[in-house]
Amino acid sequence: MTDSAPTSPASAPTSPAPLHGLRVLDLATLFAGPLAAMMLGDFGADVVKVEHPRKPDPSRGHGPAKDGVGLWWKMLGRNKRTITLDLSAPGGRDTLLRLVADADVVVENFRPGTLERWGLGWEELSTVNPGLVLARVTGFGQFGPYSHRPGFGTLAEAMSGFAAITGEPDGPPTLPPFGLADSVAALATAYAVMTALTARTATGRGQVVDMAIIEPMLAVIGPHALWYDQLGHVQPRTGNRSQNNAPRNTYRTSDGSWVAVSTSAQSIAERVLRLVGRPELIDEPWFADGTGRAAHADVLDEAVGSWVARHTREEALAAFEKAEAAIAPVYDVRDVVADPQYRALDTVTEVPDPELGPIRMQNVLFRLSETPGAIRWAGRPHGADTADVLAELGLSPGEITALRSEGAV
């Protein structure tokens, strides 16, 4: 190999990670599948990212770059070894089957039928490895009238009902400016994979995970289907307000910043109104529950908003904290990286990188007291580990050269 091997940050744990020994093949692109594989890699899985020899993962060129190096890939590709295989070529297909024989998990997001067309469907994969878990991540699932449509997170954000309830009442449905549906689907996929692996412990058999990106989004937006089924209720757009409690909104401070206030608990709502000098509102009959308060959001927003507008952000935060009321500053990324709580948690951590030097990115998703995860390295160059991985598989230098000549790697 011509480039340097992955390096581990000094803070990496010395004890084995909880998923140490788990072998994952990441065949997926943009974004849910690769993010799920990244989460498994964060906790010790040996993740091998498989990319086309002549068509690198699109995330390498997605978003801002520095010195020609895609920054999104640095995060999405972390803790993964990178190899190239053309799965549609005979040599690429055969090599993948050899990798699958010793793998625990395959993550893919091709349109239904694509792997089957290459002779790499569940029948072939499970024949080689009956204990394999195959996670298939698509926009609409493996069957049904939409299954062969191209699917992206934006479509799931629209079709799940998320966009319909997001935005101002008199404005259009609003989409998030980031990959929300893909991220939620990634979390669900990682959970599904671990569930399937737990089942394998009992049965000895692997199985297929069919993850439709439209479904996790529908799951996380709340009991909308139940409300509609039982009451015919369709939630409207309410901006930053909630139909279930008030005051709940963002408010501008005297120094031009913004803060968010939540009063999901009755006791918190009462503390807020006392703090802002409107204790008489607590005695109103409608103030006794969240729904009643939500129906009088105009009154409550005026009370809280006018008080906040007379104070700086720091004054408002200090007063709310002293009153034990719930408030948070509205941050952009500059605030996030400077915040003392995030710093204490090491939420944005520094990772050494041979291409860019020290870089900062979001840390692993959660902390484990005994077997923590870690970012061992950031995203690697395209195909950087091909020779090593194929050698581990038992291929000779001559066989690897033959695959390169064929264009299979």
Side-chain angles (χ1 to χ4, degrees):
M1 296 176 61
T2 57
D3 48 56
S4 57
T7 56
S8 300
S11 59
T14 56
S15 58
L19 300 184
H20 177 74
L22 188 72
R23 297 185 175 182
V24 179
L25 300 178
D26 175 9
L27 314 184
T29 60
L30 295 179
F31 280 102
L35 186 56
M38 184 204 81
M39 292 173 183
L40 299 175
D42 284 351
F43 286 89
D46 177 16
V47 181
V48 175
K49 173 70 176 181
V50 180
E51 299 175 78
H52 193 282
R54 294 163 294 281
K55 300 174 184 176
D57 189 309
S59 66
R60 291 183 180 273
H62 208 83
K66 181 181 178 182
D67 299 334
V69 178
L71 297 178
W72 202 324
W73 166 252
K74 282 296 175 184
M75 179 176 173
L76 192 65
R78 73 190 192 193
N79 292 333
K80 300 178 184 181
R81 296 193 288 167
T82 63
I83 71 170
T84 59
L85 284 178
D86 182 350
L87 302 183
S88 65
R93 173 190 180 276
D94 293 344
T95 303
L96 183 74
L97 288 175
R98 292 181 65 171
L99 288 166
V100 165
D102 199 32
D104 297 288
V105 180
V106 170
V107 181
E108 66 97 0
N109 71 337
F110 299 105
R111 288 198 207 182
T114 301
L115 283 183
E116 285 76 6
R117 190 170 66 249
W118 294 335
L120 292 170
W122 175 242
E123 182 177 348
E124 291 85 0
L125 298 182
S126 60
T127 297
V128 169
N129 183 349
L132 182 72
V133 171
L134 174 61
R136 316 195 76 167
V137 186
T138 58
F140 303 102
Q142 294 295 309
F143 58 91
Y146 303 162
S147 61
H148 285 80
R149 292 182 181 180
F152 296 98
T154 298
L155 310 187
E157 289 147 10
M159 291 181 62
S160 64
F162 172 85
I165 64 172
T166 305
E168 294 300 322
D170 57 350
T174 302
L175 297 167
F178 64 99
L180 176 61
D182 280 299
S183 299
V184 174
L187 286 163
T189 301
Y191 166 58
V193 165
M194 298 311 300
T195 301
L197 290 171
T198 301
R200 186 182 69 174
T201 301
T203 67
R205 299 189 305 275
Q207 58 184 301
V208 176
V209 172
D210 180 3
M211 180 60 65
I213 296 176
I214 57 173
E215 292 184 302
M217 276 300 296
L218 189 61
V220 301
I221 62 173
H224 289 201
L226 179 59
W227 288 341
Y228 178 71
D229 175 64
Q230 294 297 301
L231 302 172
H233 175 73
V234 179
Q235 181 173 333
R237 288 189 290 283
T238 56
N240 290 325
R241 290 179 173 177
S242 168
Q243 289 188 305
N244 304 312
N245 67 81
R248 192 264 194 183
N249 214 326
T250 57
Y251 306 95
R252 193 165 191 174
T253 62
S254 63
D255 56 353
S257 297
W258 291 85
V259 294
V261 172
S262 176
T263 57
S264 295
Q266 181 70 22
S267 59
I268 298 295
E270 294 175 5
R271 291 173 194 167
V272 169
L273 269 295
R274 291 191 184 98
L275 171 64
V276 302
R278 298 296 300 275
E280 76 279 3
L281 295 176
I282 300 173
D283 297 326
E284 294 287 346
W286 49 261
F287 196 89
D289 60 61
T291 303
R293 297 198 309 274
H296 294 79
D298 287 343
V299 174
L300 297 173
D301 274 346
E302 191 282 327
V304 176
S306 61
W307 183 91
V308 170
R310 298 193 299 272
H311 296 79
T312 66
R313 183 174 81 171
E314 293 309 311
E315 289 171 347
L317 294 175
F320 268 70
E321 183 172 359
K322 184 177 180 180
E324 298 183 355
I327 192 172
V330 176
Y331 277 173
D332 64 22
V333 68
R334 295 168 294 187
D335 301 305
V336 169
V337 298
D339 182 84
Q341 181 62 31
Y342 281 129
R343 287 192 172 191
L345 296 174
D346 196 28
T347 305
V348 178
T349 195
E350 186 174 283
V351 181
D353 181 69
E355 292 183 284
L356 298 177
I359 58 177
R360 288 189 292 174
M361 65 178 70
Q362 292 97 313
N363 210 336
V364 301
L365 195 59
F366 49 86
R367 285 163 294 280
L368 296 179
S369 62
E370 299 300 322
T371 55
I375 303 173
R376 303 185 299 281
W377 59 82
R380 304 268 290 146
H382 181 231
D385 304 293
T386 301
D388 283 353
V389 172
L390 296 187
E392 291 171 8
L393 199 57
L395 274 68
S396 68
E399 290 174 308
I400 295 173
T401 299
L403 288 172
R404 293 192 187 280
S405 299
E406 180 190 334
V409 299

